[in-house]
Amino acid sequence: MTISFGTFSKLTAGLMIAAVVASCGNKEQVKTSAPATTASATKAAEPIVFVNSDSLVNNYNYFKDIKDRLQAKSKKAQQDLSSKGTAFQREVAEYQQKAQAMSADERASTEQRLARKQQELEAFNQNASSALANESAGENEKLYDKVAEYLKAYAKEKGYKMVLTYSKSNPSLLFADESLDVTTEVVKGLNDKYAKDKK
């Protein structure tokens, strides 16, 4: 059984962060249609910043925790399937050894039983894969919500109108001065909030 967690790949995480930060920038622009004041003019002069999504997913403890949990579940499901598959192969081998000595009715009955077991094994594989994919999708949505909520507050607090994302696997941002990289600050804030939420 091959269980893939593509939704948690760096590419998807990069796309997710890009969508979150783009929505932060868009919502901020809609909200700032009030008359300009000295404070808002100062905020508008703030630089555009970016977050390295590769670093974010590698260092955000919430992401690491859900990834570890899902990998553990995947490993257990694979072990269960392997164990059931080995037992089934043993039964098939025993049947093949005894088939010559069996009556036609016994052979037909055993073959039907083995066919049912094979179908059950395939259903177990599909159900386990489906359950893990659904859980992975649910966790991905929670991850998106946590990052979106944090970045909205972060952008408002700092006065940023736009936060871009960078990822080697999805290099839509080809160059940016390193002084505009706020990844470390964002990861620290996310991890501090996650640590408080866990208590």
Side-chain angles (χ1 to χ4, degrees), residues 36 65 67 120:
D65 287 351
K67 182 179 172 188
E120 288 168 8

Side-chain angles (χ1 to χ4, degrees), residues 9-80:
S9 70
K10 287 184 182 178
L11 174 61
T12 303
L15 294 174
M16 176 202 69
I17 304 272
V20 171
V21 296
S23 70
C24 289
N26 291 340
K27 288 182 183 173
E28 278 301 308
Q29 287 172 357
V30 170
K31 289 178 185 174
T32 56
S33 58
T37 62
T38 308
S40 65
T42 305
K43 283 184 179 179
E46 290 292 325
I48 293 170
V49 294
F50 73 94
V51 173
N52 184 318
S53 58
D54 295 334
S55 293
L56 190 141
V57 297
N58 286 330
N59 296 299
Y60 185 19
N61 293 333
Y62 174 73
F63 176 82
K64 289 193 238 181
D65 287 351
I66 59 176
K67 182 179 172 188
D68 290 347
R69 188 160 29 88
L70 289 172
Q71 283 179 339
K73 284 190 174 186
S74 173
K75 187 177 179 182
K76 183 174 184 327
Q78 288 173 350
Q79 288 170 341
D80 289 349

